[in-house]
Amino acid sequence: MERDFYKIKKYFISLLGERWVSDNTKDTMYYNRDLWPREIIASKFGVFKNKPDLILWPKNEEEIVNIIKIANEHKLNIIPFGAGSGVCGATLPLSQGHNIIVDTKRMNKILNVDYQSLILNVEAGAIGYPLEIQLNNKGFTIGHFPSSIYCSTVGGWLASRSAGQESSRYGKIEDMVVSLRVITGHGEIIDTSEIVSSEISGDLNQLFIGSEGTLGIICSAGLSINYLPKFKTYSSFIFKNIEQGLSAIREMMQNDVGGSVIRLYDELDSYIALGHTKEKKEGLFKKYVENLNGDFSDIFLKRILSFPQLLNSLSQLITQGCLLIVLHTGNESEFVKYCQVKSHKIAEKYSGKNMGEEPAKKWERNRYSISYKQSKIFYAGGFVDTMEVATTWDKVAELYHEVKRVIQDKAFLMAHFSHAYQDGCSIYFTFAAKANNYNDAIKRYERIWKNILDVVLGLKATISHHHGIGVSKLEHLRKQLGEGTELFKILKRAFDPNNIMNKGKFFSE
Amino acid sequence: MDRVLNEVFKRLLDVGIQSHYSATSQKIHISVTKNDEIEKVRSIIKKFKLRLSFIDTANSNIILENKINESKILLNKESSLLTVGVLYNIIEAEKFLNAHGFSIGYYFPPVLSSTEMTFADWIKNFHIPSLNYYDKDLSGNIRGIKGILPNGNTFETINAPRMATGSDIVRLLLLAGQNLFSPFEITLRIRPLKHNIKILSFSSKRIKNLLSALASLALKNIKIEFATLYTREDQHNDPMLEIGYNQDDIFDFMNWIVRTVNNEGVSLINTLSEYDEIKMRLNNLIKHEYQIEIYAKYKGIGKLDEILKSLFQNIRFNGYLYRYEKNSFSFRVILPPNLYQQLKDNLISECSKYKEDIRISECTEGSKDQIPLSIYSKIIHSCL
Ligand SMILES: Cc1cc2nc3c(=O)[nH]c(=O)nc-3n(C[C@H](O)[C@H](O)[C@H](O)COP(=O)(O)OP(=O)(O)OC[C@H]3O[C@@H](n4cnc5c(N)ncnc54)[C@H](O)[C@@H]3O)c2cc1C
């Protein structure tokens, strides 16, 4: 067996060149996980379970076709890898056999930009930020701004149905796809741009989008782009409670004046976003919140995380209300102004107190930094994670309160509502808790997830709005789909009959 | 198999389910009209490890016709959603929605003009476009679907605005059609009914200018309610673009549209038609038998114009916009029957020179046969 694998490695070296094939420990350690917090906890406690056998860095489609061919012949497990910023364990090597990571980052070229039809053709390994800057320099934007824009790829966005901060204007990534070029697990190249009708190609796109590397490797994509907006307005409001804020964003979305960015924060998240301006209520709570926000003292943090219930109740006392920020953008200044005025009227209807431009501008200045400030909590022996669920408007507030109720004694919890649509919106929960040792941490961590996802399922909401499923939510997806799990198997049989793509995900054994 | 089917047939009779058994073709046809009958069928076929089919193919033994005519119609006002039994008549549903201040949306006329059409019929043709690209076609508006799978189990998707839970299962169900699933209820995204829709009409000697005008509205994301574009060769008039927009007290949408469109060299003319007339006209155009659909990216507008000009120098043709999206559109050309084959071949050969930007397709009913056969059969095969 090992001799066979040695031969396979040799073959890959002959195919890609020595530099682009690795099994050295530094690399296999790095690629043993993505940013799923459960695995971060494990690595903090020195537990490493899932090392891949090889990492490959192909440079083009032809090399990928050959990799897939060999994988089919030798029943290898191929794991497509973008930048590893996924937070659900979707790149974990789980096969009992040989696990081969295929990192796409060398395939990062812009292939073509059609400035007349506004279509960008780009390879899947392109990292978000440099790509966006290249387009900005020509006066265009993709309109996709995930907080991980510095460390995620086009292929990763597509494979996990990512959402950017301006989704209310530009949609999620699945709304931007014109065409895909995919090499399936069967080794076949499917190019949906070759299909005459755009609606049919659209259907096929939607089968590969979100498939998390289980059906094939996305090599390149045609994405719809936009003129870079010239005008922008900033608005901020404070609402008495979540319900009033939610009514306002619902009405804004249903009247097409939701803007590019629309974010409503619950009381605690607002406290952080606003910079807790109420001086007299600072003290202990301020210190705690600052810690969550990145200015940490390990011991303090560890202590304070032991009392989630107390903290959660305290957050109710310090409330300054719920902050809403709205950014309107466009190329017609009058229209941008019109949308802003209309959205203000709606906010006022729900007794929103106008806070001026600053909170929205502050958000924009820090738009990519907040998500990177969590590692201190892990160092302090605690853990933190985020959970993004979504439902229709009639159930959003209920879902929010129910999750808070079941979690309040287990973890410190806050939330914001940052992707809104005409028919509903997502809720982005952040929770933090402490743990005494590895087993305790994993037990608590999993219990919190289970408790929240049970509530989500009970209300027939979706268990993921944009992070995807990976390993972390697979069991709950099974419950959510019931009979529908069979449908995933149909796709698997159609495009990856030998089950060589990303085993252990989406119900493939 | 014969014995098994005979036994199944007997048991179905015992529990009072209407069915028809043909020993020669080895098929049982079942028709269910109530929800609880499905459960009875399920438990019988499960016992015999059989599967249901919803269309009669060579492989099917038990063919189930879903006639559950649920009169269910449920409006979720807060979330702008309609949940409705698939045998519900679409026009009736639209009337119901209008009474509550909502509309299904500006779909292409066949949906809203045919008095007979049910949601089940629409699902079979889920690519009937919308006259407003923001609104998308049916597949982009179905938020939830409920129905029966071949093992007799009921399957219901979660109904959320957007999800990241893998491949889009609703698309798979629609693509595979009756090979995989028989729906009995859908949840659709609906729109607020607008009372102040005005229509602007533009004309130009060249289709090219009108298509470019449409392109700038779409590419610049200008919020219009609907757009139609058609030639009027028969009437010896210039081609025309009609834009529906919502008149607003504060913002002058008309001015914005006119300014954008004027850049493309088209002229504003008196509005000739009401929305009902537009619908009727499109409905008549779509019925023509000899038509060809040309898909183009907006980049291909100039080339398309040249092709049409050179091919139709001495021949009159009628054409109309069938679909437009943010980056592309499709235009249907109605050809004289006697020249259909010849002109189609010429069009195909001309367009093939620009195949990155312009493509041709025959106008077939339904859409599944346009999927590359290899991919479609793979999906279907995997379903069976
Ligand atoms: C700090 C931080 C902030 C984040 N913010 C956001 C956010 O705002 N919005 C959001 O949506 N997500 C966010 N995420 C999650 C993550 O960044 C996204 O899921 C992202 O899309 C993953 O991209 P990636 O290139 O890192 O993919 P990876 O993590 O490498 O892979 C993710 C999945 O995609 C598959 N895959 C990758 N490339 C390909 C390919 N070419 N073909 C087929 N399958 C492929 C992998 O097999 C895996 O299943 C955030 C994560 C972090 C750490």
Side-chain angles (χ1 to χ4, degrees), chain A residues 179-190:
Chain A
S179 62
L180 291 178
R181 227 176 128 81
V182 182
I183 298 174
T184 66
H186 199 44
E188 184 183 14
I189 300 181
I190 293 184

Side-chain angles (χ1 to χ4, degrees), chain A residues 35 80 82-86 90 146-148 153 156-157 159-160 162-163 212-213 216 218 371 466:
Chain A
L35 293 180
S85 71
S147 304
S148 55
T153 62
W157 296 345
S160 36
S162 160
E212 298 188 11
I218 299 167
S371 310
H466 61 266

Side-chain angles (χ1 to χ4, degrees), chain A residues 114 116-119 160-161 169 172 174-175 178 186 188 190 193-200 202-204 206-212 215 224-227 250 254 256 332 334-335 338 342 345 390-394 421-425 460-469 477 480-481 483-484 487-488 490-491 493-495 506, chain B residues 51 76-81 126-127 136-137 139 143 149 151 153-156 158-169 171-173 175 180 189-192 194 219-221 223 248 250-251 253 256 259 293 295 297-300 322-323 325-328 357 359-361 367-368 370-372 374-375 378-379 381-384:
Chain A
D114 171 352
Q116 284 162 283
S117 322
L118 298 192
I119 301 171
S160 36
R161 291 188 175 264
R169 170 167 181 165
K172 283 182 72 199
E174 59 262 38
D175 303 311
V178 178
H186 199 44
E188 184 183 14
I190 293 184
S193 77
E194 284 169 7
I195 296 165
V196 177
S197 95
S198 53
E199 57 272 29
I200 298 290
D203 287 333
L204 286 177
Q206 295 303 330
L207 299 186
F208 291 108
I209 297 171
S211 57
E212 298 188 11
L215 301 180
S224 176
I225 56 171
N226 310 276
Y227 295 108
R250 174 177 55 76
Q254 289 175 350
D256 293 322
E332 176 81 11
E334 286 302 304
F335 185 64
Y338 158 82
K342 231 173 149 175
K345 282 208 171 119
T391 190
T392 47
W393 285 117
D394 52 318
Y421 309 90
Q422 287 181 3
D423 46 339
C425 84
K460 291 195 172 181
T462 181
I463 58 172
S464 178
H465 171 265
H466 61 266
H467 283 165
I469 298 300
L477 182 64
Q480 176 170 313
L481 286 168
E483 283 298 311
L487 302 173
F488 281 84
I490 286 172
L491 287 173
R493 285 198 292 270
F495 299 114
F506 286 135
Chain B
R51 285 168 77 81
N76 177 343
K77 263 191 166 181
E78 196 175 348
S79 311
S80 301
L81 292 170
F126 56 95
H127 284 314
K136 303 200 165 76
D137 57 25
S139 58
R143 283 292 185 268
L149 290 167
N151 58 9
N153 282 333
T154 300
F155 173 62
E156 186 177 2
I158 284 284
N159 165 11
R162 288 285 194 290
M163 300 191 237
T165 50
S167 305
D168 185 336
I169 288 305
R171 299 280 180 145
L172 173 64
L173 295 175
L175 264 177
L180 181 55
R189 192 164 69 124
I190 48 168
R191 328 269 149 200
K194 306 226 166 126
L219 292 170
K220 288 180 186 157
N221 257 311
K223 183 82 187 133
D248 187 272
I250 309 172
F251 185 73
F253 278 101
W256 190 19
R259 254 188 300 129
E293 189 158 347
Y295 286 85
K297 293 182 185 155
Y298 288 128
K299 187 181 173 197
Y322 184 69
R323 170 191 297 274
E325 294 173 10
K326 188 175 152 207
N327 314 91
S328 61
D357 301 320
R359 296 188 184 187
I360 298 289
S361 138
S367 44
K368 290 175 197 86
Q370 292 176 27
I371 304 175
S374 62
I375 301 176
K378 267 197 187 116
I379 296 175
H381 239 89
S382 308
C383 297
L384 300 174

Side-chain angles (χ1 to χ4, degrees), chain A residues 261-315:
Chain A
V261 176
I262 188 160
R263 298 171 78 90
L264 174 71
Y265 298 85
D266 76 354
E267 285 88 352
L268 178 65
D269 224 342
S270 300
Y271 188 83
I272 294 174
L274 277 167
H276 33 83
T277 47
K278 280 191 178 172
E279 294 302 321
K280 65 178 185 325
K281 282 185 181 158
E282 290 183 350
L284 185 70
F285 194 74
K286 174 181 180 243
K287 198 164 174 198
Y288 171 68
V289 168
E290 271 176 359
N291 274 303
L292 272 187
N293 218 355
D295 182 14
F296 298 95
S297 130
D298 292 4
I299 298 165
F300 177 76
L301 195 55
K302 202 166 180 174
R303 281 221 189 107
I304 201 104
L305 280 173
S306 310
F307 306 102
Q309 193 150 20
L310 182 72
L311 283 170
N312 286 323
S313 331
L314 214 57
S315 73

Side-chain angles (χ1 to χ4, degrees), chain B residues 5 11 109 153 160 169-170 174 177 243 261 267-268 281 304 330 337 354:
Chain B
L5 289 179
R11 294 198 184 196
N153 282 333
I169 288 305
V170 170
L174 294 174
I243 305 289
V261 161
S267 21
L268 182 64
R281 185 186 314 121
L304 173 64
S330 82
Y354 312 104

Side-chain angles (χ1 to χ4, degrees), chain A residues 299-346:
Chain A
I299 298 165
F300 177 76
L301 195 55
K302 202 166 180 174
R303 281 221 189 107
I304 201 104
L305 280 173
S306 310
F307 306 102
Q309 193 150 20
L310 182 72
L311 283 170
N312 286 323
S313 331
L314 214 57
S315 73
Q316 293 306 313
L317 297 177
I318 52 87
T319 180
Q320 303 172 80
C322 299
L323 174 70
L324 170 71
I325 60 163
V326 189
L327 274 70
H328 289 97
T329 57
N331 280 307
E332 176 81 11
S333 75
E334 286 302 304
F335 185 64
V336 174
K337 195 80 212 140
Y338 158 82
C339 292
Q340 190 193 28
V341 168
K342 231 173 149 175
S343 69
H344 281 208
K345 282 208 171 119
I346 294 170

